[in-house]
Amino acid sequence: MASKVFSFSRRCLSRSPINQKTPCVQHIPSVRQEYSISHKLNRSTTELSEEQVSTLKIDRDRLATDLHHSCQWGPGIRWGQNPTDTGMQRLTLSEEDKHVRDWFVQTMSGLGCNITIDQLGNIFAVRPGRRANVPATFIGSHLDTQPTGGRYDGILGVLAGVEAVKTMVDLGLETEGGIGVVNWTNEEGARFPISMMSSGVWAGKISLEHAYNLKEVPTVASLPTAASAPETVKTALDKIGYCGPTPCSHEATLMAAHFELHIEQGPHLVSAGQRIGVVTAVQAYRWYKLQVTGRDCHTGTTAFQHRADAMYASARMMVKAREVASAHGCLASVGIVDARPGSVNTVPGLVSFSLDIRGPETADVEVVVRQLQQDFDAIAADEGKEIGKPCRVEWQLDFDSPAVNFHEDCISCVQQSAEAVCAQDVGVTDSKSLVRTIMSGAGHDSVFTSKVVPTSMIFVPCKDGVSHHPEEFTSADDCATGASVLLQAVVRYDRQRFQS
Amino acid sequence: MASKVFSFSRRCLSRSPINQKTPCVQHIPSVRQEYSISHKLNRSTTELSEEQVSTLKIDRDRLATDLHHSCQWGPGIRWGQNPTDTGMQRLTLSEEDKHVRDWFVQTMSGLGCNITIDQLGNIFAVRPGRRANVPATFIGSHLDTQPTGGRYDGILGVLAGVEAVKTMVDLGLETEGGIGVVNWTNEEGARFPISMMSSGVWAGKISLEHAYNLKEVPTVASLPTAASAPETVKTALDKIGYCGPTPCSHEATLMAAHFELHIEQGPHLVSAGQRIGVVTAVQAYRWYKLQVTGRDCHTGTTAFQHRADAMYASARMMVKAREVASAHGCLASVGIVDARPGSVNTVPGLVSFSLDIRGPETADVEVVVRQLQQDFDAIAADEGKEIGKPCRVEWQLDFDSPAVNFHEDCISCVQQSAEAVCAQDVGVTDSKSLVRTIMSGAGHDSVFTSKVVPTSMIFVPCKDGVSHHPEEFTSADDCATGASVLLQAVVRYDRQRFQS
């Protein structure tokens, strides 16, 4: 504890409104939230000194408790003995997602926030500032997960927002503009195959109609009937009661800026022993659905030269994709594969697969795509040529996210905050070594918010760089460091807006 | 018409009991069945001269009509304008399969046959011979199809049996032993993943318990709930009312021999312009399920060297499988692929795929399997080695069918009959050029019957050698030639048994 202002004693239980209704917390023995606030600021951000801002920090244990509490809805694959040693499987707009949304709304209402739910189920919770009629500065991320996801991707970003507001309430810290926390619907794109879907609609980059009509991917769908009667985004929203009345638009729900805390999902911070990544940019990526058409035939009677085997051609394409992407410093990945008719003794005549291509710059991705289009055409033409019925390959672009550069004002707030938070542990001189600027490999809701409002992100390390996996893990200390940087960043941004 | 014995006039409609209840036949304009029987033999097979046997032939148009009539249940993908220009999708033990079974039972009962249905729904229809207490000579094949199958694979074999019995009835041709037609359940192995399942149980090579408990493959299942609540063979049998009381065993339902007419499903006959393949053997094959385990990770943040990508490793294995099989004169095919978790932006950590390996001799298949086991282990070890978590690959043998040699007595009956039938069109001298001995690439129910009774098969050409495809096609003339060979073969076999 570097600052006396925020010393917590461990005498008083149940100060948090959350604690009063969290029966499941008792099974997480390592995390306790016995604390009381001994000093209140009772000021606005603009009335703090720079030193006071630099010592602001959130409550590590309360954040951990709340985070694992929220993970009671949709626990996934168990990988260890501790109660929290499970992944998450909380597909967007599922029953589990409804439960965590209800919890989020209740929690934020209990903290004095106004709740807005828009047409895509985005939940905006705003703690009012001193000034009416100015847009709030937002903290945002997502509560949905991959089908075999972990406890931190997205969840940490929203829970850190909840914790930042709790800390402000506890401290009596007012803001000039409001401070909001937003839970974006279907960031993952796992159940409905467009990632960052609802921030995309909010930013005006995806049409509401398109989002509403998206059908769930059968393989990861929440319902067993998904293959025959897939739900759409709209039916799923209606089913869980989260289709709100407010238009999903940045013109309807205003935002001054968007800050997002996220696990890195890569190995750079953890390899370098660093604590905070100041995210300045997001790499470009495109999602394609490829369809390879050959000809069904009998596996036992058809010589190789008489085949137009769509699976064999697809396998060659998958191997080629890595080779070409690698040569251009990019990534290419196949996540979904569907071979038809899907019988052991019939050579598939129709295969579709997803292709996710990423690179530092938009142009890098374009180069890889052009090269692969040529290569795949050649592979397709080669398979079935001897029977005069070569395979064909068709590309369908499902999603295009050009490279993004974040806003310098937001980056600056994050950079200052990161150094300030780290300085409390290692001193000002060494704090810079714990912080690095970094490019995001993954897409995030901040990609879309950056199109219309100043945006930046904060990364914290995750174990082995692993994400989209049940064993995804970030320590409670790292979560807390990130959340404190987040708190200070929004405070700094609020001060910047209204101090001058 | 080379023989006066079987000249048909076109005066009399509706001689066939089938025609009286086939409302759908009217939409098949090219096929008519106006005929009457002008000459009756009214003899037993042993009382015929060799010349009379050699002129026996079935009714081409009636066979075509009945075949397409039976295809009203479970029509598949449409590929042309004519009413019969569709494939078939009649998965075993489906509602459509029940309908065609009902038709088969009614038709054969109407021809004076005794019907036996065993515990696996195999339907044995026997037209009694002159001698009691001797097993019947059987004609057999299957009425189920692949999910994107055609109108001839299996169906022709059963319908040719029906037509052979109709011809015998029309001619008053009696046999010494009975003549049976059997429809074997789940030959395809498409819905329940063991091919030739019920002939295998009948022959004592697969246990009834194992067959009963087989679960349907979700991708080709008949019901939308298959993924969550897959039916078993037993529940499916009960559902359509075809779980009979007779034990499924060659000791309960006796058979003197088994003859099967089938389309070649390969290009040899059609390429050589030949009409009949005398099948002397069936190549060896094995079905494996492979499971490749890697580690789920994020597609956007995980460098290639940090991945244990189960899909990439699987794609390399699929490419390698063809290379190795080809080098050993064998075939290797991947028909089913399942990548988990199945999300665009998660690298799959678990992939399973089917591998069907075939070769002329059992030893050839063994060599390929041993080589691939080494190669796949190396590919798996290579993917993920830099993070110390290489992929693993596991092989599960689902089905093993060693190479089969058919019985020389049966082969001889088929050979003589093939030459005799062809001689009617081109004369005795040239007839041999239209007939070849051939090895079957595909498995058939005859593989299992050959384990316990004398067996052989007859192949007819199919267009482009294509099968397991909606456009699978064999002309009415070729179907008729094959069915006449089949008729003569069982007559010759009956004579052989009882003449000496």
Side-chain angles (χ1 to χ4, degrees):
Chain A
M1 294 290 166
S3 160
K4 287 177 183 170
V5 179
F6 301 111
S7 67
F8 301 117
S9 77
R10 291 181 171 269
R11 277 175 293 135
C12 174
L13 266 166
S14 74
R15 281 294 295 243
S16 158
I18 294 309
N19 298 333
Q20 294 159 14
K21 43 179 171 168
T22 54
C24 82
V25 170
Q26 64 197 33
H27 68 242
I28 309 177
S30 63
V31 181
R32 304 170 68 197
Q33 61 268 75
E34 300 167 17
Y35 66 92
S36 70
I37 308 301
S38 53
H39 294 85
K40 284 226 177 193
L41 289 166
N42 291 322
R43 298 203 198 147
S44 167
T45 58
T46 50
E47 296 160 0
L48 298 182
S49 68
E50 179 59 35
E51 194 209 335
Q52 283 176 312
V53 173
S54 292
T55 53
L56 285 170
K57 61 194 300 186
I58 59 82
D59 182 337
R60 170 194 179 280
D61 291 352
R62 182 171 59 187
L63 172 60
T65 302
D66 282 359
L67 185 140
H68 293 301
H69 174 76
S70 76
C71 288
Q72 74 182 282
W73 297 291
I77 294 164
R78 173 161 293 286
W79 53 267
Q81 296 303 312
N82 295 314
T84 61
D85 292 351
T86 77
M88 287 295 291
Q89 179 171 31
R90 189 160 64 205
L91 295 169
T92 193
L93 306 181
S94 63
E95 199 57 27
E96 296 77 17
D97 190 27
K98 173 189 160 38
H99 287 307
V100 77
R101 285 163 172 268
D102 291 348
W103 169 84
F104 177 68
V105 168
Q106 282 170 19
T107 301
M108 298 312 280
S109 300
L111 291 166
C113 294
N114 300 319
I115 307 294
T116 300
I117 298 171
D118 75 11
Q119 295 165 307
L120 272 175
N122 295 320
I123 308 173
F124 304 86
V126 177
R127 179 174 181 245
R130 286 185 171 181
R131 306 185 191 217
N133 303 321
V134 295
T137 296
F138 268 87
I139 292 166
S141 203
H142 59 96
L143 292 169
D144 70 321
T145 79
Q146 289 284 319
T148 57
R151 292 177 164 240
Y152 301 90
D153 174 359
I155 301 172
L156 174 60
V158 176
L159 271 287
V162 173
E163 174 55 31
V165 172
K166 283 188 178 182
T167 301
M168 289 182 189
V169 169
D170 285 346
L171 295 174
L173 177 59
E174 295 182 11
T175 50
E176 296 295 321
I179 296 293
V181 182
V182 51
N183 170 44
W184 298 106
T185 297
N186 191 28
E187 191 274 348
E188 292 292 355
R191 183 177 176 200
F192 300 103
I194 289 190
S195 69
M196 299 127 55
M197 178 187 79
S198 301
S199 50
V201 175
W202 177 86
K205 302 299 177 188
I206 299 171
S207 81
L208 179 68
E209 211 57 27
H210 184 48
Y212 268 169
N213 293 329
L214 274 181
K215 286 183 183 162
E216 58 190 343
V217 176
T219 46
V220 297
S222 59
L223 290 173
T225 55
S228 59
E231 283 193 51
T232 63
V233 167
K234 182 65 168 69
T235 58
L237 274 168
D238 288 338
K239 197 167 188 175
I240 67 164
Y242 269 91
C243 188
T246 305
C248 180
S249 166
H250 62 285
E251 291 167 348
T253 307
L254 303 178
M255 210 173 263
H258 186 265
F259 289 88
E260 184 170 8
L261 169 65
H262 209 281
I263 59 170
E264 184 199 338
Q265 306 184 290
H268 300 100
L269 289 173
V270 77
S271 302
Q274 292 172 308
R275 293 208 190 148
I276 295 290
V278 178
V279 189
T280 56
V282 180
Q283 69 179 349
Y285 69 96
R286 288 192 190 166
W287 286 5
Y288 288 95
K289 182 180 179 184
L290 276 90
Q291 185 160 300
V292 180
T293 308
R295 186 168 75 167
D296 297 355
C297 63
H298 195 293
T299 57
T301 58
T302 320
F304 289 133
Q305 67 269 26
H306 291 129
R307 297 186 180 190
D309 181 339
M311 190 63 235
Y312 177 71
S314 297
R316 287 189 62 199
M317 292 174 195
M318 293 174 197
V319 174
K320 177 61 78 176
R322 182 183 284 197
E323 179 192 320
V324 170
S326 188
H328 290 86
C330 292
L331 294 173
S333 314
V334 174
I336 301 173
V337 181
D338 183 26
R340 300 292 174 101
S343 178
V344 178
N345 54 345
T346 297
V347 170
L350 188 64
V351 172
S352 61
F353 61 91
S354 65
L355 186 61
D356 172 325
I357 302 173
R358 313 215 181 198
E361 298 296 334
T362 309
D364 299 327
V365 172
E366 284 166 355
V367 166
V368 170
V369 168
R370 275 198 300 274
Q371 182 63 49
L372 287 181
Q373 283 171 335
Q374 282 183 26
D375 291 339
F376 287 10
D377 279 347
I379 289 169
D382 196 44
E383 179 65 15
K385 65 175 184 230
E386 294 186 50
I387 50 171
K389 301 199 175 185
C391 288
R392 287 178 294 110
V393 56
E394 288 157 283
W395 293 63
Q396 174 186 308
L397 178 63
D398 281 345
F399 197 61
D400 185 6
S401 184
V404 162
N405 290 310
F406 285 141
H407 196 283
E408 58 183 22
D409 291 350
C410 294
I411 293 170
S412 159
C413 287
V414 170
Q415 181 77 38
Q416 290 172 51
S417 302
E419 290 174 14
V421 171
C422 291
Q424 292 184 54
D425 286 341
V426 297
V428 174
T429 315
D430 294 332
S431 68
K432 286 182 200 298
S433 69
L434 297 181
V435 179
R436 74 186 293 164
T437 57
I438 195 167
M439 166 178 271
S440 173
H444 299 285
D445 290 308
S446 290
V447 165
F448 276 124
T449 63
S450 75
K451 310 287 183 192
V452 285
V453 297
T455 294
S456 74
M457 294 185 71
I458 302 154
F459 276 176
V460 286
C462 57
K463 191 180 170 212
D464 298 338
V466 169
S467 182
H468 285 199
H469 187 283
E471 293 185 47
E472 174 184 286
F473 180 76
T474 293
S475 72
D477 284 339
D478 283 333
C479 289
T481 301
S484 292
V485 173
L486 181 70
L487 170 64
Q488 287 192 17
V490 295
V491 166
R492 282 193 165 82
Y493 195 80
D494 189 61
R495 282 155 62 86
Q496 266 186 27
R497 285 174 74 195
F498 298 104
Q499 227 166 16
S500 55
Chain B
M1 294 290 168
S3 160
K4 287 176 184 169
V5 179
F6 300 110
S7 66
F8 300 117
S9 78
R10 291 181 170 269
R11 276 176 292 135
C12 173
L13 267 165
S14 73
R15 282 294 296 241
S16 160
I18 294 311
N19 299 334
Q20 295 161 12
K21 43 178 170 171
T22 54
C24 81
V25 170
Q26 64 198 32
H27 69 241
I28 309 176
S30 63
V31 180
R32 302 170 68 195
Q33 62 269 71
E34 300 167 16
Y35 66 93
S36 69
I37 309 300
S38 54
H39 294 85
K40 286 226 177 194
L41 288 166
N42 292 322
R43 300 205 196 144
S44 167
T45 57
T46 49
E47 295 161 1
L48 298 182
S49 68
E50 179 60 35
E51 195 209 336
Q52 282 175 311
V53 172
S54 292
T55 54
L56 284 170
K57 62 194 300 187
I58 59 83
D59 182 336
R60 170 194 180 279
D61 292 352
R62 181 171 59 186
L63 172 59
T65 301
D66 282 358
L67 185 141
H68 294 300
H69 174 76
S70 77
C71 289
Q72 74 182 281
W73 298 291
I77 295 164
R78 174 161 293 286
W79 54 267
Q81 296 302 314
N82 295 315
T84 61
D85 292 351
T86 78
M88 286 297 289
Q89 179 171 31
R90 189 160 65 203
L91 295 170
T92 191
L93 306 181
S94 62
E95 200 56 29
E96 295 78 17
D97 190 27
K98 173 190 159 41
H99 287 307
V100 77
R101 284 163 174 269
D102 291 348
W103 169 84
F104 177 68
V105 169
Q106 283 171 19
T107 301
M108 298 311 281
S109 300
L111 291 167
C113 294
N114 300 319
I115 307 294
T116 300
I117 298 172
D118 75 11
Q119 296 165 307
L120 272 174
N122 294 320
I123 308 172
F124 304 85
V126 176
R127 178 174 183 246
R130 285 186 171 179
R131 306 184 192 217
N133 304 321
V134 296
T137 296
F138 269 86
I139 293 167
S141 201
H142 58 96
L143 292 170
D144 69 322
T145 79
Q146 289 284 318
T148 56
R151 291 176 165 241
Y152 301 89
D153 174 0
I155 301 172
L156 174 61
V158 176
L159 271 288
V162 174
E163 174 56 31
V165 173
K166 283 189 179 182
T167 302
M168 289 183 189
V169 169
D170 286 346
L171 294 174
L173 177 60
E174 294 181 13
T175 49
E176 296 296 320
I179 297 293
V181 183
V182 52
N183 170 43
W184 298 104
T185 298
N186 190 29
E187 192 273 349
E188 291 293 357
R191 183 179 177 199
F192 300 102
I194 289 190
S195 68
M196 299 129 54
M197 178 186 79
S198 301
S199 49
V201 175
W202 177 86
K205 301 299 178 187
I206 299 171
S207 81
L208 179 67
E209 212 57 27
H210 184 48
Y212 269 168
N213 293 329
L214 274 181
K215 286 182 183 163
E216 57 190 343
V217 176
T219 45
V220 297
S222 60
L223 290 173
T225 54
S228 59
E231 282 193 51
T232 63
V233 167
K234 182 66 168 67
T235 59
L237 274 168
D238 287 337
K239 196 166 188 176
I240 67 164
Y242 269 91
C243 187
T246 304
C248 180
S249 167
H250 63 284
E251 291 168 348
T253 307
L254 303 177
M255 210 173 264
H258 186 265
F259 288 87
E260 184 170 7
L261 168 65
H262 209 281
I263 59 170
E264 184 200 338
Q265 307 184 290
H268 300 100
L269 290 173
V270 76
S271 303
Q274 291 171 308
R275 294 208 189 148
I276 295 290
V278 178
V279 189
T280 56
V282 180
Q283 69 179 347
Y285 69 97
R286 287 193 191 165
W287 287 3
Y288 287 95
K289 182 180 179 184
L290 277 88
Q291 184 159 301
V292 181
T293 308
R295 186 169 74 168
D296 297 355
C297 64
H298 195 293
T299 56
T301 58
T302 320
F304 289 134
Q305 68 269 28
H306 291 130
R307 297 186 179 190
D309 182 338
M311 191 62 235
Y312 177 72
S314 297
R316 286 190 62 198
M317 293 173 194
M318 294 174 196
V319 174
K320 176 61 77 176
R322 183 183 286 198
E323 179 192 319
V324 171
S326 188
H328 290 86
C330 291
L331 294 173
S333 315
V334 174
I336 300 174
V337 181
D338 183 25
R340 298 294 171 105
S343 177
V344 177
N345 54 346
T346 296
V347 170
L350 188 65
V351 172
S352 61
F353 61 91
S354 65
L355 186 61
D356 173 325
I357 303 174
R358 312 216 182 198
E361 298 297 334
T362 309
D364 300 327
V365 171
E366 284 166 356
V367 167
V368 170
V369 168
R370 275 198 300 275
Q371 182 63 50
L372 287 181
Q373 282 170 336
Q374 282 183 25
D375 292 339
F376 286 9
D377 279 345
I379 289 170
D382 196 43
E383 179 65 13
K385 64 174 183 233
E386 294 186 50
I387 51 171
K389 300 198 176 187
C391 288
R392 287 178 293 109
V393 56
E394 288 157 283
W395 294 61
Q396 175 187 307
L397 179 62
D398 281 345
F399 196 62
D400 184 6
S401 185
V404 162
N405 291 310
F406 285 141
H407 197 282
E408 58 184 22
D409 291 350
C410 294
I411 294 170
S412 158
C413 288
V414 170
Q415 181 77 38
Q416 291 171 50
S417 303
E419 290 174 14
V421 171
C422 291
Q424 293 183 54
D425 286 342
V426 297
V428 174
T429 314
D430 295 330
S431 68
K432 286 183 200 296
S433 69
L434 297 181
V435 178
R436 75 187 292 166
T437 57
I438 195 167
M439 166 178 272
S440 173
H444 298 285
D445 290 309
S446 291
V447 165
F448 276 125
T449 63
S450 74
K451 310 285 183 192
V452 287
V453 297
T455 295
S456 74
M457 295 185 70
I458 302 154
F459 276 176
V460 286
C462 56
K463 191 179 170 213
D464 298 338
V466 169
S467 181
H468 285 199
H469 187 284
E471 294 184 48
E472 173 184 286
F473 180 76
T474 293
S475 72
D477 283 340
D478 284 333
C479 289
T481 302
S484 292
V485 173
L486 181 70
L487 169 64
Q488 287 192 18
V490 295
V491 166
R492 282 194 164 83
Y493 195 80
D494 188 61
R495 283 156 59 88
Q496 267 187 25
R497 285 174 75 194
F498 298 104
Q499 229 167 13
S500 55

PDB file of all heavy atoms in Angstrom, chain A residues 331-342:
ATOM      1  N   LEU A 331      -0.936 -14.567 -40.135  1.00  0.00           N
ATOM      2  CA  LEU A 331      -1.491 -15.799 -39.579  1.00  0.00           C
ATOM      3  C   LEU A 331      -2.655 -16.264 -40.446  1.00  0.00           C
ATOM      4  O   LEU A 331      -3.371 -15.440 -41.021  1.00  0.00           O
ATOM      5  CB  LEU A 331      -1.996 -15.557 -38.151  1.00  0.00           C
ATOM      6  CG  LEU A 331      -0.942 -15.226 -37.101  1.00  0.00           C
ATOM      7  CD1 LEU A 331      -1.606 -14.851 -35.780  1.00  0.00           C
ATOM      8  CD2 LEU A 331       0.015 -16.400 -36.896  1.00  0.00           C
ATOM      9  N   ALA A 332      -2.857 -17.562 -40.527  1.00  0.00           N
ATOM     10  CA  ALA A 332      -4.025 -18.126 -41.213  1.00  0.00           C
ATOM     11  C   ALA A 332      -4.466 -19.336 -40.408  1.00  0.00           C
ATOM     12  O   ALA A 332      -3.631 -20.150 -40.001  1.00  0.00           O
ATOM     13  CB  ALA A 332      -3.671 -18.534 -42.637  1.00  0.00           C
ATOM     14  N   SER A 333      -5.760 -19.433 -40.155  1.00  0.00           N
ATOM     15  CA  SER A 333      -6.265 -20.489 -39.265  1.00  0.00           C
ATOM     16  C   SER A 333      -7.605 -21.008 -39.771  1.00  0.00           C
ATOM     17  O   SER A 333      -8.451 -20.242 -40.222  1.00  0.00           O
ATOM     18  CB  SER A 333      -6.474 -19.939 -37.853  1.00  0.00           C
ATOM     19  OG  SER A 333      -5.370 -19.168 -37.446  1.00  0.00           O
ATOM     20  N   VAL A 334      -7.772 -22.315 -39.638  1.00  0.00           N
ATOM     21  CA  VAL A 334      -9.036 -22.964 -40.002  1.00  0.00           C
ATOM     22  C   VAL A 334      -9.698 -23.451 -38.718  1.00  0.00           C
ATOM     23  O   VAL A 334      -9.126 -24.288 -38.009  1.00  0.00           O
ATOM     24  CB  VAL A 334      -8.793 -24.142 -40.957  1.00  0.00           C
ATOM     25  CG1 VAL A 334     -10.080 -24.908 -41.221  1.00  0.00           C
ATOM     26  CG2 VAL A 334      -8.182 -23.645 -42.263  1.00  0.00           C
ATOM     27  N   GLY A 335     -10.874 -22.932 -38.407  1.00  0.00           N
ATOM     28  CA  GLY A 335     -11.536 -23.278 -37.144  1.00  0.00           C
ATOM     29  C   GLY A 335     -12.749 -24.176 -37.312  1.00  0.00           C
ATOM     30  O   GLY A 335     -13.071 -24.973 -36.443  1.00  0.00           O
ATOM     31  N   ILE A 336     -13.460 -24.003 -38.434  1.00  0.00           N
ATOM     32  CA  ILE A 336     -14.693 -24.764 -38.685  1.00  0.00           C
ATOM     33  C   ILE A 336     -14.516 -25.559 -39.975  1.00  0.00           C
ATOM     34  O   ILE A 336     -14.065 -25.007 -40.976  1.00  0.00           O
ATOM     35  CB  ILE A 336     -15.914 -23.826 -38.841  1.00  0.00           C
ATOM     36  CG1 ILE A 336     -16.112 -22.979 -37.577  1.00  0.00           C
ATOM     37  CG2 ILE A 336     -17.181 -24.604 -39.167  1.00  0.00           C
ATOM     38  CD1 ILE A 336     -17.201 -21.908 -37.717  1.00  0.00           C
ATOM     39  N   VAL A 337     -14.840 -26.834 -39.942  1.00  0.00           N
ATOM     40  CA  VAL A 337     -14.752 -27.677 -41.146  1.00  0.00           C
ATOM     41  C   VAL A 337     -16.034 -28.496 -41.251  1.00  0.00           C
ATOM     42  O   VAL A 337     -16.487 -29.064 -40.259  1.00  0.00           O
ATOM     43  CB  VAL A 337     -13.548 -28.643 -41.082  1.00  0.00           C
ATOM     44  CG1 VAL A 337     -13.469 -29.488 -42.358  1.00  0.00           C
ATOM     45  CG2 VAL A 337     -12.249 -27.882 -40.883  1.00  0.00           C
ATOM     46  N   ASP A 338     -16.596 -28.531 -42.436  1.00  0.00           N
ATOM     47  CA  ASP A 338     -17.819 -29.309 -42.656  1.00  0.00           C
ATOM     48  C   ASP A 338     -17.677 -30.080 -43.964  1.00  0.00           C
ATOM     49  O   ASP A 338     -17.600 -29.475 -45.031  1.00  0.00           O
ATOM     50  CB  ASP A 338     -19.019 -28.360 -42.719  1.00  0.00           C
ATOM     51  CG  ASP A 338     -20.340 -29.104 -42.866  1.00  0.00           C
ATOM     52  OD1 ASP A 338     -20.413 -30.267 -42.447  1.00  0.00           O
ATOM     53  OD2 ASP A 338     -21.293 -28.515 -43.404  1.00  0.00           O
ATOM     54  N   ALA A 339     -17.579 -31.409 -43.874  1.00  0.00           N
ATOM     55  CA  ALA A 339     -17.415 -32.252 -45.062  1.00  0.00           C
ATOM     56  C   ALA A 339     -18.717 -32.992 -45.332  1.00  0.00           C
ATOM     57  O   ALA A 339     -19.243 -33.664 -44.442  1.00  0.00           O
ATOM     58  CB  ALA A 339     -16.273 -33.244 -44.856  1.00  0.00           C
ATOM     59  N   ARG A 340     -19.231 -32.868 -46.535  1.00  0.00           N
ATOM     60  CA  ARG A 340     -20.475 -33.543 -46.898  1.00  0.00           C
ATOM     61  C   ARG A 340     -20.264 -34.568 -47.996  1.00  0.00           C
ATOM     62  O   ARG A 340     -19.432 -34.338 -48.839  1.00  0.00           O
ATOM     63  CB  ARG A 340     -21.504 -32.494 -47.386  1.00  0.00           C
ATOM     64  CG  ARG A 340     -21.848 -31.444 -46.371  1.00  0.00           C
ATOM     65  CD  ARG A 340     -22.610 -32.055 -45.222  1.00  0.00           C
ATOM     66  NE  ARG A 340     -22.836 -31.087 -44.145  1.00  0.00           N
ATOM     67  CZ  ARG A 340     -23.984 -30.434 -43.933  1.00  0.00           C
ATOM     68  NH1 ARG A 340     -24.997 -30.622 -44.736  1.00  0.00           N
ATOM     69  NH2 ARG A 340     -24.115 -29.621 -42.921  1.00  0.00           N
ATOM     70  N   PRO A 341     -21.044 -35.663 -48.020  1.00  0.00           N
ATOM     71  CA  PRO A 341     -22.186 -35.931 -47.156  1.00  0.00           C
ATOM     72  C   PRO A 341     -21.819 -36.401 -45.757  1.00  0.00           C
ATOM     73  O   PRO A 341     -22.704 -36.513 -44.929  1.00  0.00           O
ATOM     74  CB  PRO A 341     -22.949 -37.011 -47.914  1.00  0.00           C
ATOM     75  CG  PRO A 341     -21.885 -37.757 -48.638  1.00  0.00           C
ATOM     76  CD  PRO A 341     -20.877 -36.715 -49.035  1.00  0.00           C
ATOM     77  N   GLY A 342     -20.562 -36.670 -45.465  1.00  0.00           N
ATOM     78  CA  GLY A 342     -20.190 -37.067 -44.105  1.00  0.00           C
ATOM     79  C   GLY A 342     -20.424 -38.536 -43.839  1.00  0.00           C
ATOM     80  O   GLY A 342     -21.042 -38.904 -42.839  1.00  0.00           O
TER      81      GLY A 342
END
